[in-house]
Amino acid sequence: MNKLSVILLFVLFTFSCKTNQPKGSLSEGNGLFQLFEVEEGREPFYSNKEGVFAKKGMVASAHVVASEVGKEILRKGGNAADASIATFFALAVVHPFAGNLGGGGFAVVRDTQGEAFALDFREKAPLAAHRDMYLDENGDVIKGLSLKGHLASGVPGAVAGMVELYEKMGTMKWADLLQPAIDLAENGVILTEGQARGMNNYKKTFQEVNGEDTPYFIQPDGREWQTGELFIQKDLAESLKRIQSDGAKGFYEGITADLLVKEMQDGGGIISHEDLETYDAVWREPIEKDYKEYNIISMPPSSSGGVALIQLMKLVEPYPLKEWGWNSAKTVQVMIEDERRVYADRAKWMGDQDFVKVPLKELTSTPYLSEIWASYNENKASLSSEIEAGKIPYYESDQTTHFSVVDKDGMAVSITTTLNGAYGSKVVVDGAGFLMNNEMDDFSIKAGVPNMFGLIGNKANEIQPGKRMLSSMTPTIVEKNGDLFLVLGTPGGSTIITSVYQTLLNVVEHGMNMQQAVNALKFHHQWLPDKVFMETNALETQALSDLLSLGYIMEIQNRTLGRMDCIMVHPNGVLEGASDPRGENTSVGF
Ligand code: GLY
């Protein structure tokens, strides 16, 4: 049997297995938006989960308790920045998989006047880091060194980021924003099924990195965690209290800094007091571009997310995607081909703009995009081996978590934060109770060698002391005719960009409401490897067969794409919180 027949059979088999879900129709949602028309017999959604609707404020995050914490801050009169800070610290307690004190991230903010801001609190390479630190004497990558253990960590940016956000935009008392997280760490949080499973799955690695008695994440008697059990983190509560009383100094100096540096020294890491004291989060100019009547506002480097999202959107803008239909062969083909070209660009041009000149304007300009699109041929799949990044003539040179917040005055915050892998480097800072990131793997540790997401990098993203590693995080805000419309984002490593891209197109081209756009099945191409990864059922049989006949290598994955947490502002001002059914994500509004 040839490959095509095997895949088609598999698709047909999975269609027939999904008999418990209604076919060919969709629940009504709130009726505010024209419903996306579902082809008879087709099941294009991961689930029929419905959005959460509210008038005054909304928080969409990976954990119901963190969303509740944010909502309570909004209810008490805090703005979206206040609620985001409280949600952030709550996630560090209730969602240790990705929520963090020992990681970093990005925030895109739109204030009540419509002014947009971007905050970069990405981790930095320690000052003692160097380009070849993960290579052996033969110049080969030492497997796992950038992923696990003390050397894998960048200098954390999360606490500096939250302090910076507060100083510019916060309105409530700083101490009050930390208190809910402190209470959760001190009194315990009830483990969800996902949280218990996650900690049990990584038990061996925790022991490998921290020893048999890894605090918190392994039970003292070696028992497995159970759903519904109370998870108490006393040391983390003390670390949070120091941040509560001393702000950034409560983390980057004093007891917490001493504990972190000692942990590094004991475990062979290189983060020093100087690294911590000199860390700074920076405000950057957000990257913005129009798309039809919309304006996309997103994150510039050190994340590649914003530039890539805008390139993707501008490349498909001339095509009648709505007329061609959602995930029809024609629609998917132009999307695959623009993803291929944009990820090739990412590998070549993108890095920390404090260290390398990233040609931001050029990369999203019409002449440049026309140049990289010139090789597109609708009659056959391009080959990634023949696609290179475009030329800029005068140029010199799964784990993360996302949450979205909108307050009653229309201020919006979109934050994506990460430890990189699940539980980061797995290093728990002894006595301080938090996990360290393994973000160093997001550097190009050797030119042309893929990182854990299969992403290739080059000189622009090589390791240098104090440099931020390139990210794919894509916290995004979209305006429609000048008004706040969407707040978007997701975890997912290299698939973040394409998940945000598809969710956005699902709304602006295919007329889905926010939850439908999130629920919709997704696919992903990232230039290399030269394959289209698909969620089961993402393409109907005819579209799949058409694409195969054009030469695309399609792979149905036994994994999901995206864990979106998004908010849509409907024309009547109602907020629709849409949290991804693929995880335990929950929107809470009031
Ligand atoms: N660590 C994943 C990213 O920043 O893209």
Side-chain angles (χ1 to χ4, degrees):
M1 202 183 306
N2 66 25
K3 198 169 179 178
L4 171 62
S5 325
V6 172
I7 291 175
L8 290 180
L9 272 179
F10 177 66
V11 173
L12 291 170
F13 171 71
T14 48
F15 275 175
S16 61
C17 287
K18 290 189 105 186
T19 48
N20 57 342
Q21 292 184 8
K23 302 272 182 213
S25 67
L26 189 69
S27 59
E28 284 277 320
N30 67 344
L32 284 170
F33 253 62
Q34 173 201 346
L35 284 179
F36 173 67
E37 283 202 17
V38 183
E39 195 183 313
E40 193 64 36
R42 183 95 169 74
E43 192 55 73
F45 298 106
Y46 184 83
S47 85
N48 282 339
K49 180 175 177 177
E50 293 200 21
V52 170
F53 296 91
K55 276 238 152 189
K56 292 189 183 154
M58 183 71 68
V59 182
S61 88
H63 197 292
V64 61
V65 173
S67 296
E68 278 289 348
V69 164
K71 182 219 60 180
E72 269 309 292
I73 295 290
L74 292 178
R75 209 184 49 76
K76 287 178 182 159
N79 68 9
D82 295 319
S84 298
I85 293 162
T87 304
F88 187 97
F89 285 115
L91 282 168
V93 179
V94 302
H95 188 51
F97 194 70
N100 64 82
L101 298 186
F106 302 95
V108 173
V109 183
R110 183 183 181 275
D111 70 13
T112 51
Q113 307 306 308
E115 197 176 344
F117 305 86
L119 178 60
D120 183 342
F121 54 98
R122 180 70 159 167
E123 299 92 326
K124 289 184 181 187
L127 295 168
H130 59 93
R131 192 191 65 184
D132 297 335
M133 63 187 277
Y134 299 111
L135 306 184
D136 65 16
E137 61 278 10
N138 302 318
D140 295 327
V141 171
I142 304 169
K143 218 169 160 238
L145 201 59
S146 63
L147 282 171
K148 201 167 59 178
H150 297 72
L151 261 189
S153 298
V155 183
V159 175
M162 290 306 104
V163 170
E164 197 60 48
L165 180 60
Y166 178 74
E167 285 177 354
K168 196 171 180 80
M169 294 177 176
T171 61
M172 284 179 67
K173 281 197 191 127
W174 172 252
D176 293 347
L177 305 181
L178 270 291
Q179 196 56 46
I182 293 169
D183 293 342
L184 286 164
E186 208 148 47
N187 305 327
V189 55
I190 297 189
L191 288 180
T192 61
E193 195 273 328
Q195 300 291 348
R197 179 167 28 86
M199 292 199 286
N200 292 335
N201 284 348
Y202 284 92
K203 180 174 171 180
K204 242 182 89 205
T205 325
F206 279 130
Q207 283 171 327
E208 221 180 282
V209 172
N210 302 283
E212 288 299 314
D213 57 345
T214 305
Y216 307 129
F217 298 97
I218 296 179
Q219 305 258 33
D221 58 6
R223 234 176 7 91
E224 296 243 299
W225 291 102
Q226 304 297 318
T227 307
E229 204 165 333
L230 204 58
F231 181 49
I232 296 173
Q233 303 167 82
K234 294 276 187 209
D235 288 350
L236 179 58
E238 294 307 312
S239 292
L240 287 163
K241 283 183 199 168
R242 289 190 282 274
I243 298 166
Q244 185 184 44
S245 57
D246 299 331
K249 286 192 171 166
F251 183 84
Y252 293 96
E253 297 175 30
I255 296 173
T256 304
D258 290 346
L259 290 167
L260 200 161
V261 171
K262 181 171 184 317
E263 178 66 48
M264 287 292 132
Q265 286 167 350
D266 291 350
I270 54 173
I271 296 177
S272 66
H273 277 292
E274 191 185 354
D275 283 315
L276 296 173
E277 281 159 19
T278 55
Y279 182 86
D280 56 339
V282 283
W283 291 99
R284 303 196 187 277
E285 180 129 353
I287 176 145
E288 288 194 42
K289 200 83 171 176
D290 62 283
Y291 176 90
K292 300 185 177 172
E293 68 266 45
Y294 306 94
N295 182 42
I296 302 166
I297 306 165
S298 196
M299 196 67 216
S302 55
S303 185
S304 60
V307 176
L309 177 66
I310 285 169
Q311 288 186 306
L312 291 167
M313 293 295 289
K314 294 308 280 184
L315 284 168
V316 295
E317 195 175 21
Y319 292 95
L321 301 188
K322 188 174 173 59
E323 187 190 312
W324 286 349
W326 179 83
N327 278 15
S328 67
K330 282 181 158 194
T331 299
V332 172
Q333 188 185 7
V334 290
M335 290 172 70
I336 293 170
E337 293 297 348
D338 75 350
E339 289 172 10
R340 187 196 307 281
R341 287 157 179 80
V342 165
Y343 277 81
D345 264 6
R346 181 194 188 279
K348 171 152 184 184
W349 293 115
M350 306 264 199
D352 180 354
Q353 55 176 319
D354 293 338
F355 280 70
V356 289
K357 186 176 180 320
V358 183
L360 293 176
K361 284 212 164 59
E362 294 80 0
L363 285 169
T364 55
S365 71
T366 308
Y368 180 82
L369 292 170
S370 307
E371 181 204 323
I372 63 172
W373 198 239
S375 55
Y376 173 65
N377 179 346
E378 64 180 23
N379 297 316
K380 67 175 173 88
S382 300
L383 290 174
S384 288
S385 55
E386 291 170 3
I387 297 292
E388 283 181 15
K391 295 187 179 42
I392 293 181
Y394 51 91
Y395 177 64
E396 287 157 11
S397 71
D398 182 348
Q399 290 292 328
T400 301
T401 190
H402 175 86
F403 60 94
S404 298
V405 181
V406 175
D407 68 22
K408 64 179 185 340
D409 300 317
M411 181 179 190
V413 179
S414 181
I415 291 189
T416 315
T417 177
T418 191
L419 288 167
N420 196 23
Y423 308 102
S425 64
K426 321 294 186 284
V427 171
V428 184
V429 177
D430 200 15
F434 62 86
L435 284 155
M436 290 296 290
N437 67 82
N438 59 348
E439 220 72 63
M440 291 296 282
D441 190 63
D442 271 347
F443 277 116
S444 170
I445 59 174
K446 182 177 177 181
V449 172
N451 75 358
M452 81 170 190
F453 300 113
L455 290 169
I456 309 280
N458 274 303
K459 205 163 171 52
N461 189 33
E462 71 184 14
I463 302 172
Q464 284 176 260
K467 186 177 177 183
R468 296 172 208 263
M469 55 295 285
L470 185 62
S471 172
S472 298
M473 290 188 263
T474 314
T476 297
I477 293 174
V478 179
E479 296 170 332
K480 182 175 182 180
N481 299 320
D483 296 328
L484 177 65
F485 182 45
L486 304 174
V487 188
L488 307 172
T490 184
S494 58
T495 68
I496 291 174
I497 299 165
T498 51
S499 292
V500 172
Y501 171 49
Q502 285 167 87
T503 304
L504 178 51
L505 281 181
N506 288 344
V507 172
V508 302
E509 288 295 338
H510 302 296
M512 297 190 199
N513 67 24
M514 194 71 263
Q515 188 70 53
Q516 290 168 330
V518 167
N519 293 353
L521 294 165
K522 300 194 166 59
F523 62 88
H524 170 75
H525 193 291
Q526 60 177 46
W527 177 50
L528 295 172
D530 191 348
K531 274 184 188 172
V532 184
F533 300 102
M534 299 180 291
E535 289 186 308
T536 305
N537 279 346
L539 301 188
E540 52 93 13
T541 316
Q542 188 59 51
L544 188 53
S545 135
D546 288 352
L547 288 163
L548 289 167
S549 67
L550 289 171
Y552 290 96
I553 301 164
M554 318 289 289
E555 191 169 299
I556 299 171
Q557 294 240 313
N558 186 21
R559 65 167 189 163
T560 53
L561 292 171
R563 292 267 193 292
M564 310 286 308
D565 275 297
C566 307
I567 301 173
M568 174 187 278
V569 184
H570 284 273
N572 61 359
V574 168
L575 304 171
E576 179 185 2
S579 290
D580 210 309
R582 294 162 180 84
E584 294 174 335
N585 307 44
T586 309
S587 295
V588 179
F590 79 110

